[in-house]
Structures are given as structure tokens and as C-alpha cells.
Amino acid sequence: MPPERSYDVVIIGGGGHGLALAYYLAKHHGISDVGVFERSYIGSGGTGRNTTVLRANYKAPETVPFFKASLELYNRLGAELDFNLLLSPRGLLWLAHSEPSLRHQRERAFVNQAMGVDTVFITPDEIARLCPVLDITGGGKYPVLGAAYHAPGAVIRHDAVVWGYASAAQRQGVHIHQGVGVTGIEVTHGRCTGVHTSAGFVSAGTVVTAAGGYVSLVARMAGVRLPITTYPLQAFVTEAYKPVLDRIVASADLLVYISQSARGELLVGAEIEEYAAYSTRSTFDFLARASAHAIDLLPFMAKLRILRQWTGVCDMTPDYSPILGTTEVGGFYVDGGWGTWGFKAIPIAGTSMADLVATGRTPPLIAPFGLERFYEDRTVPERASAGTH
Ligand SMILES: Cc1cc2nc3c(=O)[nH]c(=O)nc-3n(C[C@H](O)[C@H](O)[C@H](O)COP(=O)(O)OP(=O)(O)OC[C@H]3O[C@@H](n4cnc5c(N)ncnc54)[C@H](O)[C@@H]3O)c2cc1C
């Protein structure tokens, strides 16, 4: 179906954030004259490449309630969308192998408890009971000294989240255009009036960019500069193995985290690469580093073959918090800066941005994350955003 010549709302990017926003605009506000423009296929960006960890064990007073609300929405999302999302609560162990890490994990537990999030600090003996396959000596090199245990931590099927939102949005009348890229944004007298696409011009009073790793390039089309740098992030899975790891294990010292998928694959994630790039090329260097540390924690993995390795690009902000809200261009909104942590935020960002677009009022939960914070010197530093910090 070719795009209409005009929509009330145009959303750029058919990842989780763009699709969720489209769904909630229609569902909560009756705004269904919405066109989602995805230059490739839906879920082809970070949403289809991520390691699917859901958690709320953040550290800043602004981020903890935001991610807690997202986790609560995820817990009922399958029923709401009428789609099996294969949600699997696991419990997340955040291991400390050094004194500074111990302090961080204790602090994480205290902050979480103060804000109603279930995270407790536990000892090596308790860790061993919760996760018997874990080598508590860290391969003899990185002994585990303690951990913050976040019981609500979970994994979910990422492509199911994409398809669930997309089909529910379409049932509400939203148009999703795959293979149609946005190439320019028209701004007249400081207001956004539409987008140029590979299928022609489409007028719209409201345009939202949810373009993931490319969000700063898209915002630049409207003349809006975002303080975002894009970095590659890699992951890999092994061949299938019998089910042995029923927790998610993360280590800030070893910069690695591991879970086992429903198919039995061991899924390993890490930190962003040190160089800024839009490249989705995978590297042997990453594989060597991440697999060595995975084996330090889970020695049985030494026997497994690597099945697949891939890379996504992450839109990193200087303070490791997202950018959500209005811009200096009227009718042009940003949902980005999701870095390595945005998959878990999809439901709450979608519903909050839909409220903002529909009513013009910024919901309190996302008020701290406006672009203006960088000009007003009130950033939201949140190193706990990264899957390994
Ligand atoms: C390896 C890896 C592991 C990760 N692990 C986790 C995790 O465990 N938990 C977590 O919470 N987060 C994780 N993340 C981060 C998470 O994947 C992202 O933050 C999140 O998916 C961003 O979603 P999005 O919808 O904003 O962007 P995307 O899913 O990237 O969607 C943006 C879409 O915009 C499209 N697009 C770009 N430019 C244009 C244009 N000009 N016109 C039209 N379309 C355009 C792209 O094709 C893309 O499909 C991980 C990321 C990676 C790469």
C-alpha cells in the first residue's frame, strides 16, 4: 500500500519505539491517522538485534521509576496485545569482583529498595545457591565477592514485541510503510510541515523521530542538533545446550552479561565498542574478549561452538539517559538516545510520548529527559543504563 499524501502524525523508524508510539496514539487517544516510515523492515534496527534484558535496577531517582513503570507494562503486554511475547522472568545477578564494584552493587540495592524496586545485596554463598553453574572463583582470576540480585529481571522475545505492537497498531488503523526511508524534513517558519520520503512528500503536522542509532542524522534533517554519538554494540550466541542457566548473569568488572534463550543458546552481550561508527561489522576481537570472560564465569561454555555474532548501532547521550520530548522546531519530537538500554523502555516511552503528542503536556515521568536539560545544566547521569554497569 503506498503512503497517503498526508498523515496527522508521521513516525520515522519502525523499531519498538516507533511502533509502540503508533499503537498508543491510536489506542489511548483515538489518533489513528498515523504513518510509520521504516526504511528497511520493522525491527531491523536495535530492537531486532538486542539481548532482550528487561530490568528496573537503575540508580538515578529519575530513571528508577521510569524503568519500573516499563517493566510493569511489559508484564501485562502480551495479554494487552494478544500476542505471545515469550516473557521469561529470570532474576538478574549483577556480580562484583572488586571493592569498587561491591560498593556499587550495595548502593544499587539501597537505591532500588528506597524506590520500591526488588533488588537485594547477596553474598557469594547465596549467589552459588541461586546459580550453581556459576564459577564463584571467576576462573581463578576474578573471584565473585557479592552481587546485587534483582528478582524481577527478565527476558522476552524481541521480534515478538515488534510484531505484537505492529499488528495491534495496524488493527487500530495505523499505516506501516516498510522499505520507505525518510530523506528530508520540511520546516516552514519554525514548524514541521512534512517529510520527504523515498515514496514522495508526505505532509504532517506532527513528526516524531524514533530512528534508533540514526536519530541524530534524522533530527539534523529538521535542523535540530542532538548531543548523541553513535557506537557499535556486539553480541553472540552459542549453539543450543541443555537448559542450565535460569538467571541472567552480568559483571561490571568483566564487561559481559549472559543469559540462556528458550532455544538453549547461550546469549552473550557486552559494552559498546570504543570507537564511534555506524558500522554493523562484527569483529573477532570482541568475540575473543567476550567469550573468554563468559568462560571465566560459566566454564561449561568452553565446550560450546559459537553459532552467530552480530552488531547494532547505539545512540549514546553524554549522560546515559534518553532524550524524549519536544524540540525547538514546532511539531517535531524526539524519542531517542536509547544507547544500549532502550529495548526495556519501549512500553513506557511509547505511552508517555503518545500522551505528549496527543495532549501537548509532558508526562512527569519523562519530564527529566527533555533535550533542554543539556542547555540548562541538569543532566541525568545514569551509568547503570549500560548492561554491564
Ligand atoms: C547488541 C545489542 C544488545 C542490546 N541489548 C539490550 C538489552 O538487553 N536491553 C535493552 O533494554 N536494550 C538493549 N539494547 C538497546 C536497544 O536495542 C535499543 O536501545 C532499542 O532497540 C532502540 O529501539 P528504537 O525503536 O529506538 O530503535 P531501532 O530498533 O533501531 O529502530 C529504529 C528504526 O529506524 C529506522 N530508520 C533509521 N533511519 C531512518 C530513516 N531515515 N527513515 C526511515 N527509517 C529509518 C531503522 O531502519 C530502524 O529500524 C541493545 C542493543 C544492541 C545493539
mmCIF file of all heavy atoms in Angstrom, residues 7-50:
data_model
loop_
_atom_site.group_PDB
_atom_site.id
_atom_site.type_symbol
_atom_site.label_atom_id
_atom_site.label_comp_id
_atom_site.label_asym_id
_atom_site.label_seq_id
_atom_site.Cartn_x
_atom_site.Cartn_y
_atom_site.Cartn_z
ATOM 1 N N TYR A 7 -0.594 12.664 6.720
ATOM 2 C CA TYR A 7 -0.997 11.993 7.975
ATOM 3 C C TYR A 7 -1.052 13.034 9.089
ATOM 4 O O TYR A 7 -0.331 14.035 9.042
ATOM 5 C CB TYR A 7 0.024 10.915 8.376
ATOM 6 C CG TYR A 7 -0.008 9.678 7.511
ATOM 7 C CD1 TYR A 7 0.959 9.473 6.538
ATOM 8 C CD2 TYR A 7 -1.004 8.722 7.662
ATOM 9 C CE1 TYR A 7 0.935 8.341 5.736
ATOM 10 C CE2 TYR A 7 -1.046 7.577 6.860
ATOM 11 C CZ TYR A 7 -0.074 7.396 5.895
ATOM 12 O OH TYR A 7 -0.114 6.278 5.111
ATOM 13 N N ASP A 8 -1.868 12.771 10.087
ATOM 14 C CA ASP A 8 -1.831 13.648 11.277
ATOM 15 C C ASP A 8 -0.459 13.542 11.940
ATOM 16 O O ASP A 8 0.114 14.546 12.362
ATOM 17 C CB ASP A 8 -2.911 13.232 12.293
ATOM 18 C CG ASP A 8 -4.317 13.610 11.826
ATOM 19 O OD1 ASP A 8 -4.418 14.428 10.878
ATOM 20 O OD2 ASP A 8 -5.291 13.070 12.386
ATOM 21 N N VAL A 9 0.022 12.314 12.056
ATOM 22 C CA VAL A 9 1.323 12.089 12.709
ATOM 23 C C VAL A 9 2.168 11.168 11.830
ATOM 24 O O VAL A 9 1.702 10.106 11.401
ATOM 25 C CB VAL A 9 1.149 11.424 14.100
ATOM 26 C CG1 VAL A 9 2.505 11.212 14.773
ATOM 27 C CG2 VAL A 9 0.238 12.244 15.004
ATOM 28 N N VAL A 10 3.405 11.589 11.560
ATOM 29 C CA VAL A 10 4.374 10.725 10.879
ATOM 30 C C VAL A 10 5.408 10.297 11.908
ATOM 31 O O VAL A 10 5.926 11.132 12.666
ATOM 32 C CB VAL A 10 5.060 11.466 9.704
ATOM 33 C CG1 VAL A 10 6.401 10.827 9.359
ATOM 34 C CG2 VAL A 10 4.164 11.461 8.465
ATOM 35 N N ILE A 11 5.690 8.993 11.946
ATOM 36 C CA ILE A 11 6.728 8.466 12.845
ATOM 37 C C ILE A 11 7.857 7.913 11.983
ATOM 38 O O ILE A 11 7.603 7.095 11.079
ATOM 39 C CB ILE A 11 6.148 7.372 13.768
ATOM 40 C CG1 ILE A 11 5.051 7.974 14.663
ATOM 41 C CG2 ILE A 11 7.245 6.734 14.618
ATOM 42 C CD1 ILE A 11 4.237 6.958 15.437
ATOM 43 N N ILE A 12 9.067 8.348 12.257
ATOM 44 C CA ILE A 12 10.220 7.898 11.467
ATOM 45 C C ILE A 12 10.918 6.788 12.240
ATOM 46 O O ILE A 12 11.470 7.015 13.320
ATOM 47 C CB ILE A 12 11.196 9.063 11.194
ATOM 48 C CG1 ILE A 12 10.458 10.240 10.544
ATOM 49 C CG2 ILE A 12 12.353 8.593 10.305
ATOM 50 C CD1 ILE A 12 11.282 11.523 10.467
ATOM 51 N N GLY A 13 10.878 5.575 11.703
ATOM 52 C CA GLY A 13 11.527 4.430 12.341
ATOM 53 C C GLY A 13 10.519 3.403 12.822
ATOM 54 O O GLY A 13 9.671 3.702 13.675
ATOM 55 N N GLY A 14 10.620 2.200 12.285
ATOM 56 C CA GLY A 14 9.725 1.110 12.680
ATOM 57 C C GLY A 14 10.427 0.140 13.601
ATOM 58 O O GLY A 14 10.389 -1.081 13.415
ATOM 59 N N GLY A 15 11.091 0.689 14.628
ATOM 60 C CA GLY A 15 11.611 -0.154 15.708
ATOM 61 C C GLY A 15 10.553 -0.202 16.804
ATOM 62 O O GLY A 15 9.417 0.285 16.635
ATOM 63 N N GLY A 16 10.929 -0.756 17.950
ATOM 64 C CA GLY A 16 9.974 -0.867 19.050
ATOM 65 C C GLY A 16 9.401 0.478 19.455
ATOM 66 O O GLY A 16 8.188 0.598 19.713
ATOM 67 N N HIS A 17 10.248 1.511 19.506
ATOM 68 C CA HIS A 17 9.770 2.807 19.985
ATOM 69 C C HIS A 17 8.772 3.432 19.019
ATOM 70 O O HIS A 17 7.725 3.945 19.454
ATOM 71 C CB HIS A 17 10.956 3.743 20.265
ATOM 72 C CG HIS A 17 11.636 3.405 21.550
ATOM 73 N ND1 HIS A 17 11.292 3.986 22.743
ATOM 74 C CD2 HIS A 17 12.601 2.490 21.830
ATOM 75 C CE1 HIS A 17 12.027 3.456 23.710
ATOM 76 N NE2 HIS A 17 12.830 2.544 23.172
ATOM 77 N N GLY A 18 9.056 3.400 17.725
ATOM 78 C CA GLY A 18 8.132 3.978 16.748
ATOM 79 C C GLY A 18 6.807 3.230 16.725
ATOM 80 O O GLY A 18 5.724 3.839 16.702
ATOM 81 N N LEU A 19 6.880 1.901 16.768
ATOM 82 C CA LEU A 19 5.652 1.096 16.681
ATOM 83 C C LEU A 19 4.812 1.229 17.951
ATOM 84 O O LEU A 19 3.575 1.317 17.891
ATOM 85 C CB LEU A 19 6.013 -0.370 16.429
ATOM 86 C CG LEU A 19 6.685 -0.619 15.068
ATOM 87 C CD1 LEU A 19 7.283 -2.026 15.009
ATOM 88 C CD2 LEU A 19 5.693 -0.417 13.912
ATOM 89 N N ALA A 20 5.474 1.269 19.102
ATOM 90 C CA ALA A 20 4.726 1.414 20.359
ATOM 91 C C ALA A 20 4.030 2.773 20.397
ATOM 92 O O ALA A 20 2.859 2.868 20.794
ATOM 93 C CB ALA A 20 5.666 1.263 21.553
ATOM 94 N N LEU A 21 4.735 3.803 19.982
ATOM 95 C CA LEU A 21 4.116 5.133 19.961
ATOM 96 C C LEU A 21 2.882 5.131 19.062
ATOM 97 O O LEU A 21 1.824 5.648 19.444
ATOM 98 C CB LEU A 21 5.145 6.165 19.471
ATOM 99 C CG LEU A 21 4.604 7.544 19.133
ATOM 100 C CD1 LEU A 21 3.929 8.190 20.343
ATOM 101 C CD2 LEU A 21 5.738 8.452 18.622
ATOM 102 N N ALA A 22 3.005 4.527 17.878
ATOM 103 C CA ALA A 22 1.862 4.471 16.955
ATOM 104 C C ALA A 22 0.684 3.748 17.605
ATOM 105 O O ALA A 22 -0.467 4.205 17.554
ATOM 106 C CB ALA A 22 2.284 3.756 15.670
ATOM 107 N N TYR A 23 0.982 2.625 18.247
ATOM 108 C CA TYR A 23 -0.075 1.844 18.896
ATOM 109 C C TYR A 23 -0.779 2.644 19.990
ATOM 110 O O TYR A 23 -2.008 2.719 20.036
ATOM 111 C CB TYR A 23 0.519 0.550 19.474
ATOM 112 C CG TYR A 23 -0.407 -0.158 20.420
ATOM 113 C CD1 TYR A 23 -1.533 -0.838 19.943
ATOM 114 C CD2 TYR A 23 -0.181 -0.134 21.800
ATOM 115 C CE1 TYR A 23 -2.400 -1.476 20.825
ATOM 116 C CE2 TYR A 23 -1.039 -0.763 22.679
ATOM 117 C CZ TYR A 23 -2.149 -1.434 22.193
ATOM 118 O OH TYR A 23 -3.013 -2.048 23.054
ATOM 119 N N TYR A 24 0.003 3.301 20.877
ATOM 120 C CA TYR A 24 -0.618 4.012 21.997
ATOM 121 C C TYR A 24 -1.339 5.287 21.538
ATOM 122 O O TYR A 24 -2.327 5.687 22.159
ATOM 123 C CB TYR A 24 0.416 4.330 23.079
ATOM 124 C CG TYR A 24 0.931 3.095 23.797
ATOM 125 C CD1 TYR A 24 2.268 2.719 23.711
ATOM 126 C CD2 TYR A 24 0.071 2.298 24.550
ATOM 127 C CE1 TYR A 24 2.737 1.582 24.353
ATOM 128 C CE2 TYR A 24 0.534 1.161 25.200
ATOM 129 C CZ TYR A 24 1.870 0.801 25.093
ATOM 130 O OH TYR A 24 2.316 -0.332 25.731
ATOM 131 N N LEU A 25 -0.852 5.917 20.454
ATOM 132 C CA LEU A 25 -1.590 7.081 19.930
ATOM 133 C C LEU A 25 -2.998 6.668 19.534
ATOM 134 O O LEU A 25 -3.986 7.350 19.833
ATOM 135 C CB LEU A 25 -0.869 7.656 18.697
ATOM 136 C CG LEU A 25 0.284 8.625 18.948
ATOM 137 C CD1 LEU A 25 1.006 8.937 17.640
ATOM 138 C CD2 LEU A 25 -0.218 9.919 19.605
ATOM 139 N N ALA A 26 -3.080 5.529 18.839
ATOM 140 C CA ALA A 26 -4.390 5.060 18.379
ATOM 141 C C ALA A 26 -5.229 4.526 19.543
ATOM 142 O O ALA A 26 -6.402 4.875 19.701
ATOM 143 C CB ALA A 26 -4.195 3.979 17.315
ATOM 144 N N LYS A 27 -4.596 3.716 20.366
ATOM 145 C CA LYS A 27 -5.335 3.014 21.425
ATOM 146 C C LYS A 27 -5.789 3.970 22.544
ATOM 147 O O LYS A 27 -6.935 3.927 22.983
ATOM 148 C CB LYS A 27 -4.403 1.936 21.999
ATOM 149 C CG LYS A 27 -4.942 1.180 23.179
ATOM 150 C CD LYS A 27 -5.838 0.056 22.751
ATOM 151 C CE LYS A 27 -6.348 -0.691 23.970
ATOM 152 N NZ LYS A 27 -7.378 -1.624 23.714
ATOM 153 N N HIS A 28 -4.891 4.831 22.992
ATOM 154 C CA HIS A 28 -5.223 5.687 24.145
ATOM 155 C C HIS A 28 -5.849 7.010 23.748
ATOM 156 O O HIS A 28 -6.503 7.648 24.562
ATOM 157 C CB HIS A 28 -3.969 5.982 24.987
ATOM 158 C CG HIS A 28 -3.433 4.770 25.687
ATOM 159 N ND1 HIS A 28 -2.244 4.757 26.362
ATOM 160 C CD2 HIS A 28 -3.943 3.513 25.820
ATOM 161 C CE1 HIS A 28 -2.031 3.562 26.877
ATOM 162 N NE2 HIS A 28 -3.044 2.789 26.556
ATOM 163 N N HIS A 29 -5.601 7.470 22.516
ATOM 164 C CA HIS A 29 -6.034 8.828 22.160
ATOM 165 C C HIS A 29 -6.891 8.876 20.897
ATOM 166 O O HIS A 29 -7.259 9.964 20.456
ATOM 167 C CB HIS A 29 -4.814 9.740 21.999
ATOM 168 C CG HIS A 29 -3.963 9.794 23.235
ATOM 169 N ND1 HIS A 29 -4.309 10.550 24.344
ATOM 170 C CD2 HIS A 29 -2.815 9.151 23.571
ATOM 171 C CE1 HIS A 29 -3.397 10.378 25.292
ATOM 172 N NE2 HIS A 29 -2.490 9.533 24.848
ATOM 173 N N GLY A 30 -7.160 7.738 20.294
ATOM 174 C CA GLY A 30 -8.000 7.705 19.081
ATOM 175 C C GLY A 30 -7.340 8.381 17.893
ATOM 176 O O GLY A 30 -8.018 8.725 16.920
ATOM 177 N N ILE A 31 -6.008 8.571 17.944
ATOM 178 C CA ILE A 31 -5.309 9.179 16.797
ATOM 179 C C ILE A 31 -4.761 8.039 15.938
ATOM 180 O O ILE A 31 -3.708 7.466 16.239
ATOM 181 C CB ILE A 31 -4.162 10.107 17.276
ATOM 182 C CG1 ILE A 31 -4.729 11.220 18.160
ATOM 183 C CG2 ILE A 31 -3.391 10.700 16.086
ATOM 184 C CD1 ILE A 31 -3.672 12.106 18.809
ATOM 185 N N SER A 32 -5.491 7.696 14.890
ATOM 186 C CA SER A 32 -5.043 6.557 14.077
ATOM 187 C C SER A 32 -4.610 6.976 12.674
ATOM 188 O O SER A 32 -4.173 6.136 11.891
ATOM 189 C CB SER A 32 -6.139 5.494 14.000
ATOM 190 O OG SER A 32 -7.301 6.080 13.499
ATOM 191 N N ASP A 33 -4.727 8.270 12.367
ATOM 192 C CA ASP A 33 -4.212 8.736 11.071
ATOM 193 C C ASP A 33 -2.698 8.935 11.226
ATOM 194 O O ASP A 33 -2.181 10.058 11.281
ATOM 195 C CB ASP A 33 -4.913 10.044 10.678
ATOM 196 C CG ASP A 33 -4.524 10.485 9.272
ATOM 197 O OD1 ASP A 33 -4.140 9.609 8.471
ATOM 198 O OD2 ASP A 33 -4.577 11.698 8.984
ATOM 199 N N VAL A 34 -2.019 7.796 11.373
ATOM 200 C CA VAL A 34 -0.591 7.777 11.704
ATOM 201 C C VAL A 34 0.143 6.959 10.651
ATOM 202 O O VAL A 34 -0.290 5.842 10.320
ATOM 203 C CB VAL A 34 -0.369 7.127 13.097
ATOM 204 C CG1 VAL A 34 1.109 7.017 13.422
ATOM 205 C CG2 VAL A 34 -1.102 7.900 14.190
ATOM 206 N N GLY A 35 1.229 7.488 10.123
ATOM 207 C CA GLY A 35 2.065 6.724 9.185
ATOM 208 C C GLY A 35 3.429 6.471 9.811
ATOM 209 O O GLY A 35 4.105 7.402 10.245
ATOM 210 N N VAL A 36 3.807 5.183 9.892
ATOM 211 C CA VAL A 36 5.147 4.822 10.374
ATOM 212 C C VAL A 36 6.002 4.537 9.144
ATOM 213 O O VAL A 36 5.622 3.704 8.306
ATOM 214 C CB VAL A 36 5.102 3.565 11.282
ATOM 215 C CG1 VAL A 36 6.505 3.193 11.745
ATOM 216 C CG2 VAL A 36 4.181 3.787 12.476
ATOM 217 N N PHE A 37 7.135 5.214 9.043
ATOM 218 C CA PHE A 37 8.021 5.027 7.890
ATOM 219 C C PHE A 37 9.297 4.330 8.329
ATOM 220 O O PHE A 37 10.049 4.843 9.158
ATOM 221 C CB PHE A 37 8.336 6.376 7.220
ATOM 222 C CG PHE A 37 7.130 6.934 6.516
ATOM 223 C CD1 PHE A 37 6.158 7.633 7.222
ATOM 224 C CD2 PHE A 37 6.949 6.719 5.166
ATOM 225 C CE1 PHE A 37 5.023 8.110 6.588
ATOM 226 C CE2 PHE A 37 5.820 7.192 4.512
ATOM 227 C CZ PHE A 37 4.852 7.885 5.228
ATOM 228 N N GLU A 38 9.505 3.143 7.777
ATOM 229 C CA GLU A 38 10.683 2.326 8.115
ATOM 230 C C GLU A 38 11.459 2.070 6.828
ATOM 231 O O GLU A 38 10.931 1.472 5.896
ATOM 232 C CB GLU A 38 10.225 1.023 8.761
ATOM 233 C CG GLU A 38 11.300 -0.044 8.879
ATOM 234 C CD GLU A 38 12.586 0.440 9.557
ATOM 235 O OE1 GLU A 38 12.516 0.963 10.675
ATOM 236 O OE2 GLU A 38 13.662 0.287 8.927
ATOM 237 N N ARG A 39 12.701 2.509 6.799
ATOM 238 C CA ARG A 39 13.430 2.404 5.526
ATOM 239 C C ARG A 39 13.830 0.980 5.170
ATOM 240 O O ARG A 39 14.072 0.666 4.016
ATOM 241 C CB ARG A 39 14.650 3.303 5.529
ATOM 242 C CG ARG A 39 15.727 2.873 6.470
ATOM 243 C CD ARG A 39 16.918 3.787 6.339
ATOM 244 N NE ARG A 39 17.904 3.470 7.336
ATOM 245 C CZ ARG A 39 18.953 4.228 7.600
ATOM 246 N NH1 ARG A 39 19.115 5.368 6.953
ATOM 247 N NH2 ARG A 39 19.816 3.878 8.501
ATOM 248 N N SER A 40 13.883 0.093 6.167
ATOM 249 C CA SER A 40 14.208 -1.309 5.900
ATOM 250 C C SER A 40 12.965 -2.138 6.264
ATOM 251 O O SER A 40 11.879 -1.850 5.776
ATOM 252 C CB SER A 40 15.443 -1.684 6.718
ATOM 253 O OG SER A 40 15.782 -3.011 6.514
ATOM 254 N N TYR A 41 13.096 -3.113 7.132
ATOM 255 C CA TYR A 41 11.927 -3.861 7.617
ATOM 256 C C TYR A 41 11.766 -3.590 9.108
ATOM 257 O O TYR A 41 12.735 -3.225 9.788
ATOM 258 C CB TYR A 41 12.053 -5.366 7.334
ATOM 259 C CG TYR A 41 13.260 -6.016 7.960
ATOM 260 C CD1 TYR A 41 13.217 -6.557 9.240
ATOM 261 C CD2 TYR A 41 14.476 -6.068 7.277
ATOM 262 C CE1 TYR A 41 14.327 -7.137 9.814
ATOM 263 C CE2 TYR A 41 15.604 -6.652 7.844
ATOM 264 C CZ TYR A 41 15.517 -7.180 9.097
ATOM 265 O OH TYR A 41 16.625 -7.752 9.683
ATOM 266 N N ILE A 42 10.550 -3.729 9.620
ATOM 267 C CA ILE A 42 10.325 -3.394 11.023
ATOM 268 C C ILE A 42 11.172 -4.310 11.926
ATOM 269 O O ILE A 42 11.286 -5.512 11.672
ATOM 270 C CB ILE A 42 8.826 -3.447 11.425
ATOM 271 C CG1 ILE A 42 8.199 -4.806 11.120
ATOM 272 C CG2 ILE A 42 8.040 -2.316 10.765
ATOM 273 C CD1 ILE A 42 6.795 -4.990 11.704
ATOM 274 N N GLY A 43 11.775 -3.695 12.936
ATOM 275 C CA GLY A 43 12.622 -4.478 13.855
ATOM 276 C C GLY A 43 14.021 -4.715 13.307
ATOM 277 O O GLY A 43 14.796 -5.463 13.916
ATOM 278 N N SER A 44 14.382 -4.087 12.188
ATOM 279 C CA SER A 44 15.714 -4.344 11.609
ATOM 280 C C SER A 44 16.816 -3.607 12.362
ATOM 281 O O SER A 44 17.997 -3.896 12.184
ATOM 282 C CB SER A 44 15.746 -3.935 10.133
ATOM 283 O OG SER A 44 15.364 -2.571 9.994
ATOM 284 N N GLY A 45 16.464 -2.649 13.205
ATOM 285 C CA GLY A 45 17.471 -1.893 13.963
ATOM 286 C C GLY A 45 17.778 -2.564 15.291
ATOM 287 O O GLY A 45 17.729 -3.797 15.422
ATOM 288 N N GLY A 46 18.049 -1.744 16.294
ATOM 289 C CA GLY A 46 18.424 -2.267 17.608
ATOM 290 C C GLY A 46 17.366 -3.186 18.201
ATOM 291 O O GLY A 46 17.689 -4.156 18.902
ATOM 292 N N THR A 47 16.098 -2.926 17.887
ATOM 293 C CA THR A 47 15.038 -3.722 18.514
ATOM 294 C C THR A 47 15.135 -5.196 18.123
ATOM 295 O O THR A 47 14.840 -6.076 18.934
ATOM 296 C CB THR A 47 13.651 -3.137 18.166
ATOM 297 O OG1 THR A 47 13.645 -1.751 18.528
ATOM 298 C CG2 THR A 47 12.546 -3.851 18.915
ATOM 299 N N GLY A 48 15.571 -5.464 16.903
ATOM 300 C CA GLY A 48 15.698 -6.864 16.484
ATOM 301 C C GLY A 48 17.087 -7.436 16.730
ATOM 302 O O GLY A 48 17.360 -8.587 16.376
ATOM 303 N N ARG A 49 17.977 -6.645 17.312
ATOM 304 C CA ARG A 49 19.364 -7.101 17.497
ATOM 305 C C ARG A 49 19.758 -7.165 18.957
ATOM 306 O O ARG A 49 20.904 -7.500 19.292
ATOM 307 C CB ARG A 49 20.332 -6.124 16.821
ATOM 308 C CG ARG A 49 20.183 -6.061 15.331
ATOM 309 C CD ARG A 49 20.873 -4.844 14.759
ATOM 310 N NE ARG A 49 20.483 -4.658 13.383
ATOM 311 C CZ ARG A 49 21.224 -4.989 12.332
ATOM 312 N NH1 ARG A 49 22.416 -5.481 12.512
ATOM 313 N NH2 ARG A 49 20.777 -4.815 11.112
ATOM 314 N N ASN A 50 18.862 -6.823 19.854
ATOM 315 C CA ASN A 50 19.302 -6.660 21.247
ATOM 316 C C ASN A 50 19.247 -7.972 22.007
ATOM 317 O O ASN A 50 18.737 -8.983 21.525
ATOM 318 C CB ASN A 50 18.500 -5.542 21.935
ATOM 319 C CG ASN A 50 17.129 -5.968 22.302
ATOM 320 O OD1 ASN A 50 16.899 -6.522 23.357
ATOM 321 N ND2 ASN A 50 16.181 -5.739 21.400
#
